[in-house]
Amino acid sequence: MTGRVDGKKALITGAAGGLGEAMARMMAREGAKLALTDIDGARAEALAASINAERPGTAFAYAHDVTDEAQWADVVDRAAADMGGLSVLVHNAGIGGTLSPIETCELENWRKVIAVNTDSVFLGTKHAMKHLRQNQPGAIVVISSIAGLLAAPGMGAYNAAKAGAWMVSKTIALECAKQGIDVRCNSVHPAFIKTPILDPFIAMAGGDEAAGHAKLARGIPLGRVGDPDDVAYAVLYLASDESRFVTGIELKIDGGLSAQ
Ligand SMILES: NC(=O)c1ccc[n+]([C@@H]2O[C@H](COP(=O)([O-])OP(=O)(O)OC[C@H]3O[C@@H](n4cnc5c(N)ncnc54)[C@H](O)[C@@H]3O)[C@@H](O)[C@H]2O)c1
């Protein structure tokens, strides 16, 4: 352990698997205490137990739907009580929703994608702010997507949701700065990273994972899809005091996709 986030108390949403799990394991190795929340509470519990087996007392788990305001109000208080404060909030929970052109996109799907990816950033920040204020220096990291910056056919709901999350992270950054609060807020924009969220793309490649990844990698200048740790390293930096003069930025983890 090198202690890059020693003493930090971090709540990560959607932490049960995928990118959230990679972030949790990396931040635990680097000295943080963790509140792992997920709509799938049992998987969050299992991850916390696995982290605690190596580092007792590090991780706490909570069943938590990020679209529910009452659950947010409750979970930030419980997490702060369990960890002895809350200094980092990672808005990671997200869904891709059903891929479909606007003309055939169901309103229910649209609303769900916006609720999980965008409303959650508003709700969570709103309720966590009182704890972050008490535990400065603090950091908020919003996991947007390269799809929040670049549009693609069939991805209207996700494009809009991740663009909203990107922009509101700048609002949060400026509001904290204006109030003289040392809480920074930045967004992270991954391209294709190997997690279950890529399953619809793999299904389009006939269910062959390697073929699906290879197809996605064709658009990436570095020639591969990303690993969860590629994103976790970015989150670790933005959560740590190493990024103390960095707020309101968008950090692209996209293998060069957006440079073209
Ligand atoms: N993997 C990629 O290629 C990629 C690219 C760009 C952005 N992202 C973003 O990264 C984040 C993590 O995605 P991932 O790739 O690890 O996907 P994932 O599907 O593996 O993980 C998402 C997690 O969020 C949880 N979740 C879903 N709805 C929730 C809700 N209402 N409340 C609480 N938790 C909920 C799920 O249970 C799951 O554990 C998401 O915001 C996603 O949009 C991923």
Side-chain angles (χ1 to χ4, degrees):
M1 181 175 110
T2 54
R4 290 176 63 190
V5 283
D6 235 348
K8 297 289 184 194
K9 293 140 187 167
L11 188 155
I12 305 174
T13 67
L19 300 186
E21 177 176 352
M23 293 166 201
R25 291 192 183 280
M26 191 177 286
M27 288 178 74
R29 283 198 299 276
E30 295 293 339
K33 278 199 173 175
L34 299 167
L36 307 176
T37 89
D38 203 285
I39 199 161
D40 186 340
R43 280 201 310 142
E45 288 276 359
L47 177 58
S50 153
I51 289 172
N52 288 333
E54 282 179 35
R55 294 177 177 77
T58 298
F60 303 86
Y62 313 85
H64 170 216
D65 179 347
V66 293
T67 67
D68 184 314
E69 181 161 15
Q71 289 189 30
W72 264 115
D74 178 55
V75 84
V76 293
D77 287 353
R78 286 167 58 208
D82 288 340
M83 294 191 292
L86 174 62
S87 52
V88 174
L89 173 59
V90 184
H91 290 291
N92 169 69
I95 57 167
T98 308
L99 300 178
S100 72
I102 297 288
E103 224 180 334
T104 51
C105 180
E106 297 292 343
L107 180 58
E108 192 187 347
N109 176 58
W110 175 275
R111 287 196 171 138
K112 175 94 178 153
V113 173
I114 300 278
V116 178
N117 293 290
T118 322
D119 293 1
S120 59
V121 178
F122 156 66
L123 292 173
T125 304
K126 177 179 170 181
H127 288 282
M129 218 47 230
K130 65 178 185 221
H131 294 293
L132 296 170
R133 213 184 279 271
Q134 285 167 14
N135 290 274
Q136 298 177 48
I140 301 172
V141 183
V142 175
I143 308 303
S144 174
S145 170
I146 207 65
L149 304 173
L150 301 173
M155 293 184 68
Y158 192 68
N159 285 147
K162 289 303 194 184
W166 165 53
M167 191 51 66
V168 80
S169 73
K170 291 179 186 291
T171 310
I172 296 163
L174 294 176
E175 287 184 1
C176 290
K178 188 168 181 195
Q179 293 175 63
I181 305 167
D182 190 0
V183 176
R184 298 170 297 96
C185 182
N186 296 290
S187 57
V188 174
H189 300 258
F192 305 117
I193 313 289
K194 286 179 209 159
T195 75
I197 216 170
L198 295 188
D199 288 352
F201 297 99
I202 290 162
M204 280 187 240
D208 179 338
E209 190 176 271
H213 288 164
K215 194 170 174 201
L216 292 173
R218 269 184 235 141
I220 309 261
L222 287 184
R224 65 171 176 89
V225 295
D227 292 316
D229 274 357
D230 296 330
V231 178
Y233 280 119
V235 174
L236 178 67
Y237 166 68
L238 291 172
S240 79
D241 294 339
E242 294 165 12
S243 56
R244 66 191 175 202
F245 199 50
V246 178
T247 198
I249 70 155
E250 50 282 303
L251 182 48
K252 301 168 196 162
I253 311 293
D254 70 350
L257 179 68
S258 59
Q260 302 172 100

